[in-house]
Amino acid sequence: MSYAYLFKYIIIGDTGVGKSCLLLQFTDKRFQPVHDLTIGVEFGARMITIDGKQVKLQIWDTAGQEAFRSITRSYYRGAAGALLVYDITRRDTFNHLTTWLEDARQHSNSNMVIMLIGNKSDLESRRDVKREEGEAFAREHGLIFMETSAKTAANVEEAFINTAKEIYEKIQEGVFDINNEANGIKLGPQHSPAAAGGMAAGGLGGSQGGGCC
Amino acid sequence: MFNRFKSALLSSVGAAESAAAAAQAAVTDGAEAAGGPAARPAKFAYGRPAFLQLETEDELQVAGDRVIRPIIVPRDSSRLPWTAGYAEAVNAGKSKRNEDAAAVYTGVLHQPPPGGPAGDGDGDGLQRTGRSVPYYYFGLFDGHAGHGASVAAAHQLHHIIHERLVDVLDHLLPPDPSAAEAAPAPGVRAASLWIPAEEVAPEKLVTGALEAAFNDMDALIAEDRLKYDMRGGCTAVVALLLLGRLYVANAGDSRATYCRHGRAVIASHDFTPETERHRVRQLACQQPALTGGEFTHLDFARRVGRRDLGKRVLYRDAHMTGWAYKTVTERDLRFPIVCGDGKRSRVCATIGVTRGFGDHDLKAQNTNVNIKPFLSSQPQVLVVDLEEEAVTESDVLVMATDGLWDVISNERAAELVEQSLAAFPADDVTKRRYRCTSAAQDLVMSARGKLKERLWRLSDGTMATIDDISVFVVPMLPYREEHLLWKLGQEASAVRCAPAEPPSGVRQVSEPAQLDRYQSLVEQCGRPSPPAGTSPSGNPSGAAAAAAAAAAAAAEDPVETGVEPEFADAETGEPAAANGPVPAANGPSGTPPAAEQVGTVPVTWFGGEDATPVSRPAPR
Ligand SMILES: Nc1nc2c(ncn2[C@@H]2O[C@H](COP(=O)(O)OP(=O)(O)OP(=O)(O)O)[C@@H](O)[C@H]2O)c(=O)[nH]1
Ligand SMILES: [Mg+2]
């Protein structure tokens, strides 16, 4: 299926916080109750519509296990968006956020949009991290924030789509150079820079006249 | 293979010619060579190994991302027998696609019951099912100049091997005790195989099946390439687990290394222009017509040029290992049939691997000389008797294409595997299924390295591999257990097949007495889990228990650790060790065996090639 843009996402965070479940819920609308450890990386893709345009999300779901950290870091490259996930029922996963954030900032491009996600909001009775704490962390580090449940699907769509909207806005503002694939953004097959000119009218500072790729 | 050649050519032949060669290579590499084989249909669609379950075009594309080079592992580790491990990474731009191919196959060889086909054979109302022998197959194929040959081999070689095994099945199995009551159909058994005067050991029959299948595979590609778009060539390394033995058949520069407790115990031999210099030069010497007058079988101590004409230089003929002087003539200016060292060695200045399948149309660059006659599909076959071995949870077979071995030595691979396995202990029920997958991923990572300033580097800063990398990590213990259990079942059912009792195909351990025996087998193997589907109900049968006891007694024999491995040359019957380096079956010299198990794996070689000492340094 054709798309106007393709955005690459990564999902990162401690093991067991629900990264793979979020992806599965978003792509397949299913929930997986058993923890199937992700060994390296998994992929998912889904088409969404933003501002009337088809946007394809290509999502890289990484392993949270410490043992795989150096391998998964190499997948951060060229991501336009990141979902940084913790588990609201496990404080340690919240405490590790700083490390994850440093990692992500170091190994990916500086414009990457990061969405902080407090997952497992359905487990209110076992909550260990207050919503306000998540909000404060996000504010402090310039992230967007949401609480989700991969089980009930609450806010899952929104988390992925709001991230895409933010990326789309950055494109409109000319922050992202869409001709540089290292930014995690690709124009669709029928939307070569020349063809896309009208679509992204005026918004693509410095990216016009890139010629045919 | 081919890109390496392109760069070798730049330095050895000259810019003008290399531009032409590059153009030619571009045509052969390109998907749409006008009017050529591309006009024909593909017999097999390109894809990644089925067990990776990469189904959509999207997934294929992401897996083949040559900028990130993600390490792909099966998303469902139970897709491979005993959750064996597999991981792969695409090249860094050397070819359009990952040209490595892999296949896994779980097969069963059926022996029809004596006296007739399966089923109610003679109307006595009893089911005769015959005997079934399970086996496991793992294959890796490193393609070059396209994926035609590697994909074809991954789809077909196991079927060919299966046919070849079926052919000799009667002689692989001990005589069926129930055969005594039912007279064999006249002529059937006798005609099934011509039996040589001397007894042929079962492993020689399996070895023969593998060798014959490799030859069949190559012939099939030769035939299919006329009907289909099937270009390029590939190496092949196959592991077959059958009747308690591990067989490794290798043709090319992929490699299988048997690891135990962090040590490389034994490895298959690599076939490259460098290691096969002797065979190739001999052939060029004996059949000079094959070289088209373009190549010389002589080796010179240095590259000779026009200005050397009439001068005396050191040379070596095909029948020499040392050097002598000769006066350079015009004929000596021809390109050597084998040139270069190590990874840069080439046959006819073109190809860097000397065994495998395909390459039937390959010509020496810029000439009309056919290279195929210098290549061979014959594998070296290595046999490890797992019944005789004190196999542990740390025993794994690492199979990998040269993308791994170019930068990782056997010893290093064994160390890395040991570290990875330790992170996912075998006795941790929730984690054990990830252990081999994780080990395979770590191996690929250690060879792929990281992108630093646009170059792929290892952690020590040296260059990483830019080739495709594929790795299997196959645990040996689960197979051994499975085999011992199967054998136990065979012997139990054999006793039941005695005339007094109805024949049955019972292969399940169901009596308490047998359960005890099974436990002792398992303890010996070091894993304290009960067999699936075992129930302690049922009446102890004296006969079955006796058979179980016999099997267990056999298994409980102390395992010898100091036995000299037997090295046999299939062609001459002579010990092969005499004319080649002795395999370092005891690991690197100077390091005494660390544990009682780190001893000798009884290994047999077939294929008439030098065995590979495992402690050699990594080729760079
Ligand atoms: N109740 C509840 N359970 C969840 C939710 N999300 C995930 N889980 C459970 O949490 C466990 C881990 O989920 P995964 O998605 O596999 O975790 P992961 O982050 O991918 O872990 P790694 O792959 O090891 O990095 C599973 O047992 C899920 O069923 C949620 O929103 N609510
Ligand atoms: Mg996961």
Side-chain angles (χ1 to χ4, degrees), chain A residues 6-12 17-30 42-50 55-62 80-85 113-119 144-151 153-169:
Chain A
L6 182 147
F7 297 164
K8 175 181 167 178
Y9 277 19
I10 50 169
I11 314 185
I12 56 177
V17 297
K19 299 181 296 297
S20 300
C21 287
L22 284 166
L23 175 61
L24 194 68
Q25 185 58 258
F26 181 63
T27 58
D28 284 28
K29 307 208 183 326
R30 279 194 295 132
E42 261 287 357
F43 309 114
R46 208 187 111 180
M47 202 73 89
I48 58 171
T49 311
I50 291 175
V55 175
K56 183 167 182 170
L57 301 183
Q58 182 193 84
I59 306 149
W60 296 49
D61 165 32
T62 64
L83 305 190
L84 169 54
V85 188
V113 172
I114 303 176
M115 161 77 77
L116 178 67
I117 291 180
N119 188 40
I144 340 171
F145 175 71
M146 279 191 137
E147 281 196 349
T148 61
S149 167
K151 187 175 178 181
N155 271 345
V156 173
E157 293 271 310
E158 290 80 355
F160 284 89
I161 291 170
N162 290 356
T163 309
K165 281 185 181 154
E166 185 96 354
I167 296 169
Y168 185 78
E169 270 164 36

Coordinates of all heavy atoms in Angstrom, one line a residue, chain A residues 6-12 17-30 42-50 55-62 80-85 113-119 144-151 153-169:
Chain A
L6 N 7.1 7.4 5.6 CA 7.3 6.3 6.5 C 8.1 6.8 7.6 O 9.1 7.5 7.4 CB 8.1 5.2 5.7 CG 8.4 3.9 6.5 CD1 8.4 2.8 5.5 CD2 9.8 4.0 7.2
F7 N 7.7 6.5 8.9 CA 8.4 6.9 10.0 C 9.0 5.7 10.7 O 8.2 4.7 10.9 CB 7.6 7.6 11.1 CG 7.0 8.9 10.6 CD1 5.9 9.5 11.3 CD2 7.5 9.6 9.5 CE1 5.3 10.7 10.9 CE2 6.9 10.8 9.1 CZ 5.8 11.4 9.8
K8 N 10.2 5.7 11.1 CA 10.8 4.6 11.8 C 10.7 4.9 13.3 O 11.1 6.0 13.8 CB 12.3 4.3 11.5 CG 12.9 3.3 12.3 CD 14.4 3.0 12.0 CE 15.0 2.2 13.1 NZ 16.4 1.9 12.9
Y9 N 10.2 3.9 14.1 CA 10.1 4.1 15.6 C 10.9 3.0 16.2 O 11.1 1.9 15.7 CB 8.6 3.7 16.0 CG 7.6 4.8 15.9 CD1 7.8 5.9 15.1 CD2 6.4 4.7 16.7 CE1 6.7 6.9 15.1 CE2 5.4 5.6 16.6 CZ 5.6 6.7 15.8 OH 4.6 7.7 15.7
I10 N 11.4 3.3 17.4 CA 11.9 2.3 18.3 C 11.1 2.2 19.6 O 10.6 3.3 20.0 CB 13.4 2.4 18.6 CG1 13.7 3.9 19.1 CG2 14.3 2.2 17.3 CD1 15.1 4.0 19.7
I11 N 11.0 1.1 20.2 CA 10.4 1.0 21.5 C 11.5 0.5 22.4 O 12.1 -0.6 22.2 CB 9.2 0.0 21.5 CG1 8.3 0.2 20.3 CG2 8.4 0.1 22.8 CD1 7.0 -0.7 20.4
I12 N 11.7 1.2 23.5 CA 12.8 0.8 24.4 C 12.3 0.9 25.9 O 11.2 1.5 26.2 CB 14.0 1.8 24.3 CG1 13.6 3.2 24.5 CG2 14.7 1.6 22.9 CD1 14.8 4.2 24.4
V17 N 8.3 -4.6 30.7 CA 7.4 -3.5 30.9 C 6.2 -3.5 29.9 O 5.2 -2.8 30.1 CB 8.2 -2.1 30.7 CG1 9.2 -2.0 31.8 CG2 8.7 -1.9 29.3
G18 N 6.3 -4.3 28.9 CA 5.2 -4.4 28.0 C 5.4 -3.8 26.6 O 4.4 -3.5 25.9
K19 N 6.7 -3.7 26.2 CA 7.0 -3.2 24.9 C 6.4 -4.0 23.7 O 5.7 -3.5 22.8 CB 8.5 -3.1 24.7 CG 9.2 -2.2 25.7 CD 10.7 -2.1 25.4 CE 11.4 -3.4 25.6 NZ 11.4 -4.0 27.0
S20 N 6.6 -5.3 23.8 CA 6.1 -6.2 22.7 C 4.6 -6.2 22.7 O 4.0 -6.3 21.7 CB 6.7 -7.6 22.9 OG 8.1 -7.6 22.8
C21 N 4.0 -6.1 23.9 CA 2.6 -6.1 24.0 C 2.0 -4.9 23.4 O 0.9 -4.9 22.8 CB 2.1 -6.3 25.5 SG 2.3 -8.0 26.1
L22 N 2.6 -3.7 23.6 CA 2.1 -2.5 23.0 C 2.2 -2.6 21.5 O 1.2 -2.2 20.9 CB 3.0 -1.3 23.5 CG 2.8 -0.8 24.9 CD1 4.0 0.1 25.4 CD2 1.5 -0.1 25.1
L23 N 3.2 -3.1 21.0 CA 3.3 -3.3 19.5 C 2.2 -4.2 19.0 O 1.6 -3.9 18.0 CB 4.7 -3.8 19.2 CG 4.9 -4.1 17.7 CD1 4.8 -2.9 16.8 CD2 6.3 -4.7 17.4
L24 N 2.1 -5.3 19.7 CA 1.1 -6.3 19.3 C -0.3 -5.7 19.3 O -1.1 -5.9 18.4 CB 1.2 -7.5 20.2 CG 0.5 -8.8 19.7 CD1 1.2 -9.3 18.4 CD2 0.4 -9.8 20.7
Q25 N -0.6 -5.0 20.4 CA -1.9 -4.3 20.5 C -2.1 -3.3 19.4 O -3.2 -3.2 18.8 CB -2.0 -3.7 21.9 CG -3.3 -3.1 22.2 CD -4.5 -4.1 22.2 OE1 -5.3 -4.1 21.2 NE2 -4.6 -4.9 23.2
F26 N -1.1 -2.6 19.1 CA -1.2 -1.5 18.0 C -1.3 -2.1 16.6 O -2.1 -1.7 15.8 CB 0.0 -0.6 18.1 CG 0.0 0.5 17.1 CD1 -1.0 1.5 17.1 CD2 1.0 0.6 16.1 CE1 -1.0 2.5 16.2 CE2 0.9 1.6 15.1 CZ -0.1 2.5 15.2
T27 N -0.6 -3.2 16.3 CA -0.6 -3.7 15.0 C -1.7 -4.8 14.8 O -2.3 -4.9 13.7 CB 0.8 -4.3 14.6 OG1 1.1 -5.4 15.5 CG2 1.9 -3.3 14.5
D28 N -1.9 -5.6 15.8 CA -2.8 -6.8 15.7 C -4.0 -6.7 16.5 O -4.9 -7.6 16.5 CB -2.1 -8.1 16.1 CG -1.1 -8.5 15.0 OD1 -0.6 -7.7 14.3 OD2 -0.9 -9.8 14.9
K29 N -4.1 -5.7 17.4 CA -5.2 -5.5 18.4 C -5.4 -6.8 19.2 O -6.5 -7.3 19.4 CB -6.5 -5.2 17.6 CG -6.4 -4.0 16.7 CD -7.7 -3.3 16.6 CE -7.7 -2.1 15.6 NZ -6.4 -1.3 15.6
R30 N -4.3 -7.3 19.7 CA -4.3 -8.5 20.5 C -3.5 -8.3 21.7 O -2.6 -7.4 21.8 CB -3.6 -9.7 19.7 CG -4.5 -10.4 18.7 CD -3.9 -11.7 18.3 NE -2.7 -11.5 17.6 CZ -1.6 -12.2 17.8 NH1 -1.5 -13.1 18.8 NH2 -0.5 -12.1 17.1
E42 N 12.3 -7.1 17.1 CA 11.0 -7.5 16.4 C 10.6 -6.3 15.6 O 10.8 -5.2 15.9 CB 10.0 -7.9 17.4 CG 9.9 -9.4 17.7 CD 9.2 -10.1 16.6 OE1 8.8 -9.5 15.6 OE2 9.2 -11.4 16.7
F43 N 9.8 -6.6 14.5 CA 9.3 -5.5 13.7 C 7.8 -5.6 13.7 O 7.2 -6.6 13.8 CB 9.8 -5.6 12.3 CG 11.2 -5.8 12.2 CD1 11.7 -7.0 11.7 CD2 12.1 -4.8 12.6 CE1 13.1 -7.2 11.6 CE2 13.4 -5.0 12.5 CZ 14.0 -6.2 12.0
G44 N 7.2 -4.4 13.5 CA 5.8 -4.3 13.2 C 5.6 -3.1 12.3 O 6.5 -2.2 12.2
A45 N 4.5 -3.1 11.6 CA 4.2 -1.9 10.7 C 2.7 -1.7 10.7 O 1.9 -2.7 10.8 CB 4.7 -2.2 9.3
R46 N 2.3 -0.4 10.6 CA 0.9 -0.1 10.5 C 0.8 1.2 9.8 O 1.6 2.1 10.0 CB 0.2 -0.1 11.8 CG -1.3 -0.5 11.7 CD -2.0 -0.3 13.0 NE -2.9 0.9 12.9 CZ -3.7 1.2 13.9 NH1 -3.6 0.6 15.1 NH2 -4.5 2.3 13.8
M47 N -0.3 1.3 9.0 CA -0.6 2.6 8.3 C -1.5 3.4 9.2 O -2.5 2.9 9.8 CB -1.2 2.2 7.0 CG -1.2 3.3 6.0 SD 0.5 3.4 5.3 CE 0.4 2.2 4.0
I48 N -1.2 4.7 9.3 CA -2.1 5.6 10.0 C -2.4 6.8 9.1 O -1.7 7.0 8.1 CB -1.6 6.0 11.4 CG1 -0.2 6.7 11.2 CG2 -1.5 4.9 12.3 CD1 0.3 7.4 12.5
T49 N -3.3 7.6 9.5 CA -3.6 8.8 8.7 C -3.4 10.0 9.6 O -3.9 10.1 10.7 CB -5.1 8.8 8.2 OG1 -5.3 7.5 7.6 CG2 -5.3 9.9 7.2
I50 N -2.6 10.9 9.0 CA -2.3 12.2 9.7 C -2.5 13.3 8.7 O -1.9 13.3 7.7 CB -0.9 12.2 10.3 CG1 -0.8 11.2 11.4 CG2 -0.5 13.6 10.8 CD1 0.6 11.1 12.0
V55 N 0.5 7.6 6.5 CA 1.8 7.5 7.1 C 2.0 6.1 7.6 O 1.2 5.5 8.3 CB 2.0 8.5 8.3 CG1 3.3 8.3 9.0 CG2 1.8 9.9 7.8
K56 N 3.1 5.5 7.1 CA 3.4 4.2 7.5 C 4.4 4.2 8.7 O 5.4 4.8 8.6 CB 4.0 3.4 6.4 CG 4.3 2.0 6.7 CD 4.7 1.3 5.4 CE 4.9 -0.2 5.6 NZ 5.0 -0.9 4.3
L57 N 4.0 3.5 9.8 CA 4.9 3.4 10.9 C 5.6 2.1 10.8 O 5.0 1.0 10.7 CB 4.1 3.5 12.2 CG 3.3 4.8 12.4 CD1 2.7 4.8 13.8 CD2 4.2 6.0 12.3
Q58 N 7.0 2.2 10.8 CA 7.8 1.0 10.9 C 8.4 0.9 12.2 O 9.2 1.7 12.6 CB 8.9 1.0 9.8 CG 9.7 -0.2 9.7 CD 11.0 0.1 8.9 OE1 12.0 0.6 9.4 NE2 10.9 -0.2 7.6
I59 N 8.0 -0.1 13.0 CA 8.3 -0.1 14.4 C 9.3 -1.2 14.8 O 9.1 -2.4 14.5 CB 7.0 -0.2 15.3 CG1 6.0 0.9 14.9 CG2 7.3 -0.1 16.8 CD1 4.6 0.4 15.0
W60 N 10.4 -0.8 15.4 CA 11.4 -1.8 15.9 C 11.2 -1.9 17.4 O 11.5 -1.0 18.2 CB 12.8 -1.2 15.6 CG 13.1 -1.1 14.1 CD1 12.4 -0.5 13.2 CD2 14.3 -1.6 13.4 NE1 13.0 -0.5 11.9 CE2 14.2 -1.2 12.1 CE3 15.4 -2.3 13.8 CZ2 15.1 -1.5 11.1 CZ3 16.4 -2.6 12.9 CH2 16.3 -2.2 11.6
D61 N 10.8 -3.1 17.8 CA 10.6 -3.4 19.2 C 11.9 -4.1 19.7 O 12.2 -5.2 19.2 CB 9.4 -4.3 19.3 CG 9.3 -5.0 20.7 OD1 9.7 -4.4 21.7 OD2 8.8 -6.2 20.7
T62 N 12.6 -3.5 20.6 CA 13.9 -4.0 21.0 C 13.8 -4.8 22.3 O 12.8 -4.8 23.0 CB 14.9 -2.9 21.3 OG1 14.4 -2.1 22.4 CG2 15.0 -2.0 20.0
A80 N 12.9 8.1 13.9 CA 12.3 9.4 14.0 C 11.6 9.5 15.3 O 11.4 10.6 15.8 CB 11.4 9.6 12.8
G81 N 11.1 8.4 15.9 CA 10.3 8.4 17.1 C 10.7 7.3 18.0 O 11.2 6.2 17.6
A82 N 10.6 7.5 19.3 CA 10.9 6.5 20.3 C 9.8 6.4 21.3 O 9.3 7.4 21.8 CB 12.2 6.7 21.0
L83 N 9.4 5.2 21.7 CA 8.5 5.0 22.8 C 9.4 4.5 23.9 O 9.9 3.4 23.8 CB 7.4 4.0 22.5 CG 6.5 4.3 21.3 CD1 5.3 3.3 21.3 CD2 6.0 5.7 21.3
L84 N 9.5 5.3 25.0 CA 10.3 4.9 26.1 C 9.3 4.4 27.2 O 8.5 5.2 27.7 CB 11.1 6.1 26.6 CG 11.9 6.0 27.9 CD1 12.7 4.7 28.0 CD2 12.7 7.2 28.2
V85 N 9.3 3.2 27.5 CA 8.3 2.6 28.3 C 8.8 2.1 29.7 O 9.9 1.6 29.8 CB 7.7 1.3 27.6 CG1 6.5 0.8 28.3 CG2 7.4 1.6 26.1
V113 N 11.7 12.3 18.3 CA 10.6 12.6 19.2 C 10.5 11.4 20.2 O 10.4 10.2 19.8 CB 9.3 12.7 18.4 CG1 8.1 12.8 19.3 CG2 9.4 13.9 17.5
I114 N 10.5 11.7 21.4 CA 10.4 10.6 22.4 C 9.1 10.7 23.2 O 8.8 11.8 23.8 CB 11.6 10.7 23.4 CG1 12.9 10.6 22.6 CG2 11.5 9.5 24.4 CD1 14.2 10.7 23.5
M115 N 8.4 9.6 23.3 CA 7.1 9.5 24.0 C 7.4 8.7 25.2 O 7.8 7.5 25.1 CB 6.1 8.9 23.1 CG 4.9 8.3 23.8 SD 3.7 9.6 24.4 CE 2.8 10.0 22.9
L116 N 7.2 9.2 26.4 CA 7.3 8.5 27.6 C 6.0 7.7 27.9 O 4.9 8.4 27.9 CB 7.7 9.4 28.8 CG 7.9 8.7 30.2 CD1 9.1 7.7 30.1 CD2 8.0 9.7 31.3
I117 N 6.1 6.5 28.2 CA 4.9 5.7 28.4 C 4.9 5.0 29.7 O 5.8 4.2 30.0 CB 4.7 4.7 27.2 CG1 4.3 5.5 26.0 CG2 3.6 3.7 27.6 CD1 4.1 4.6 24.8
G118 N 3.9 5.2 30.6 CA 3.8 4.4 31.8 C 2.7 3.4 31.5 O 1.5 3.6 31.3
N119 N 3.2 2.1 31.3 CA 2.3 1.1 30.8 C 1.7 0.3 32.0 O 2.2 0.3 33.1 CB 3.1 0.2 29.9 CG 2.1 -0.9 29.2 OD1 1.0 -0.5 28.8 ND2 2.6 -2.1 29.1
I144 N 6.9 13.8 25.5 CA 5.5 13.7 25.6 C 5.2 12.5 26.6 O 6.0 11.6 26.7 CB 4.8 13.4 24.3 CG1 5.7 13.7 23.1 CG2 3.5 14.1 24.2 CD1 5.2 13.2 21.8
F145 N 4.1 12.6 27.2 CA 3.8 11.5 28.2 C 2.4 11.0 28.1 O 1.4 11.7 27.9 CB 4.0 12.1 29.7 CG 3.6 11.1 30.7 CD1 4.4 10.0 31.0 CD2 2.5 11.3 31.5 CE1 4.1 9.1 32.0 CE2 2.2 10.4 32.5 CZ 2.9 9.3 32.8
M146 N 2.3 9.7 28.4 CA 0.9 9.0 28.4 C 1.0 7.8 29.3 O 2.1 7.2 29.3 CB 0.5 8.6 27.0 CG 0.0 9.7 26.1 SD -0.8 8.9 24.7 CE -2.2 9.9 24.7
E147 N -0.1 7.5 29.9 CA -0.2 6.2 30.5 C -1.1 5.3 29.6 O -2.1 5.7 29.1 CB -0.8 6.3 31.9 CG 0.2 6.8 32.9 CD -0.2 6.6 34.4 OE1 -1.4 6.3 34.6 OE2 0.7 6.8 35.2
T148 N -0.6 4.1 29.5 CA -1.3 3.1 28.6 C -1.6 1.8 29.2 O -1.0 1.5 30.3 CB -0.5 2.8 27.3 OG1 0.7 2.2 27.8 CG2 -0.1 4.1 26.5
S149 N -2.5 1.0 28.6 CA -2.6 -0.4 29.0 C -2.6 -1.2 27.7 O -3.5 -1.1 26.8 CB -3.9 -0.7 29.7 OG -4.1 -2.1 29.8
A150 N -1.5 -2.0 27.5 CA -1.5 -2.9 26.4 C -2.5 -4.0 26.5 O -2.9 -4.6 25.5 CB -0.1 -3.5 26.2
K151 N -3.0 -4.2 27.7 CA -4.1 -5.2 27.9 C -5.4 -4.7 27.5 O -6.1 -5.4 26.7 CB -4.1 -5.6 29.4 CG -5.0 -6.8 29.7 CD -4.8 -7.2 31.1 CE -5.8 -8.4 31.4 NZ -5.7 -8.8 32.9
A153 N -6.0 -1.9 25.9 CA -5.7 -1.1 24.7 C -5.9 0.4 25.0 O -5.8 1.2 24.1 CB -6.6 -1.5 23.5
A154 N -6.1 0.8 26.2 CA -6.3 2.2 26.6 C -5.1 3.0 26.2 O -4.0 2.7 26.6 CB -6.6 2.3 28.1
N155 N -5.4 4.0 25.4 CA -4.3 5.0 25.0 C -3.2 4.4 24.1 O -2.3 5.1 23.8 CB -3.6 5.6 26.2 CG -4.3 6.9 26.7 OD1 -5.2 7.4 26.0 ND2 -4.0 7.3 27.9
V156 N -3.3 3.2 23.6 CA -2.3 2.6 22.8 C -2.2 3.3 21.5 O -1.2 3.7 21.0 CB -2.4 1.1 22.7 CG1 -1.4 0.5 21.7 CG2 -2.3 0.4 24.1
E157 N -3.4 3.4 20.8 CA -3.5 4.1 19.5 C -2.9 5.5 19.7 O -2.0 5.9 18.9 CB -4.9 4.2 19.1 CG -5.6 3.0 18.7 CD -5.5 2.6 17.3 OE1 -5.7 3.5 16.4 OE2 -5.1 1.5 17.0
E158 N -3.4 6.2 20.7 CA -3.0 7.5 20.9 C -1.5 7.7 21.1 O -0.9 8.6 20.5 CB -3.7 8.1 22.2 CG -5.2 8.3 22.0 CD -6.0 7.0 22.2 OE1 -5.4 5.9 22.3 OE2 -7.2 7.1 22.2
A159 N -0.9 6.8 21.8 CA 0.6 6.9 22.0 C 1.3 6.9 20.7 O 2.2 7.7 20.5 CB 1.0 5.7 22.9
F160 N 1.0 5.9 19.8 CA 1.7 5.8 18.6 C 1.3 7.0 17.6 O 2.2 7.5 17.0 CB 1.3 4.5 17.9 CG 2.0 3.3 18.5 CD1 1.5 2.6 19.5 CD2 3.3 2.9 18.0 CE1 2.1 1.5 20.1 CE2 3.9 1.7 18.5 CZ 3.3 1.1 19.6
I161 N 0.1 7.3 17.6 CA -0.4 8.4 16.7 C 0.1 9.8 17.1 O 0.6 10.6 16.3 CB -1.9 8.3 16.5 CG1 -2.2 7.0 15.8 CG2 -2.4 9.5 15.7 CD1 -3.7 6.7 15.7
N162 N 0.0 10.1 18.4 CA 0.5 11.4 18.9 C 2.0 11.6 18.6 O 2.4 12.7 18.3 CB 0.2 11.5 20.4 CG -1.3 11.7 20.7 OD1 -2.1 11.7 19.7 ND2 -1.6 11.8 21.9
T163 N 2.8 10.5 18.7 CA 4.2 10.6 18.4 C 4.3 10.9 16.9 O 5.2 11.8 16.6 CB 4.9 9.2 18.7 OG1 4.6 8.8 20.0 CG2 6.4 9.3 18.6
A164 N 3.5 10.3 16.1 CA 3.6 10.5 14.6 C 3.2 12.0 14.3 O 3.8 12.6 13.5 CB 2.7 9.6 13.9
K165 N 2.2 12.5 15.1 CA 1.8 13.9 14.8 C 2.9 14.8 15.1 O 3.1 15.8 14.4 CB 0.6 14.2 15.7 CG -0.7 13.6 15.1 CD -1.9 14.1 16.0 CE -3.2 13.5 15.5 NZ -4.2 13.4 16.5
E166 N 3.6 14.6 16.2 CA 4.7 15.4 16.6 C 5.8 15.4 15.6 O 6.4 16.4 15.2 CB 5.2 14.9 18.0 CG 6.3 15.8 18.6 CD 5.8 16.8 19.6 OE1 4.5 16.9 19.8 OE2 6.6 17.4 20.2
I167 N 6.1 14.2 15.0 CA 7.1 14.1 14.0 C 6.6 14.9 12.8 O 7.4 15.7 12.2 CB 7.4 12.6 13.6 CG1 8.0 11.9 14.8 CG2 8.3 12.5 12.4 CD1 8.0 10.4 14.6
Y168 N 5.4 14.7 12.4 CA 4.8 15.4 11.3 C 4.9 16.9 11.4 O 5.3 17.6 10.5 CB 3.4 15.0 11.1 CG 2.7 15.5 9.8 CD1 3.0 14.9 8.6 CD2 1.9 16.6 9.9 CE1 2.4 15.4 7.4 CE2 1.3 17.1 8.7 CZ 1.6 16.5 7.5 OH 1.0 17.0 6.4
E169 N 4.6 17.4 12.6 CA 4.8 18.8 12.9 C 6.2 19.3 12.7 O 6.5 20.3 12.1 CB 4.3 19.2 14.3 CG 2.8 19.5 14.3 CD 2.2 19.5 15.7 OE1 3.0 19.9 16.7 OE2 1.1 19.0 15.9

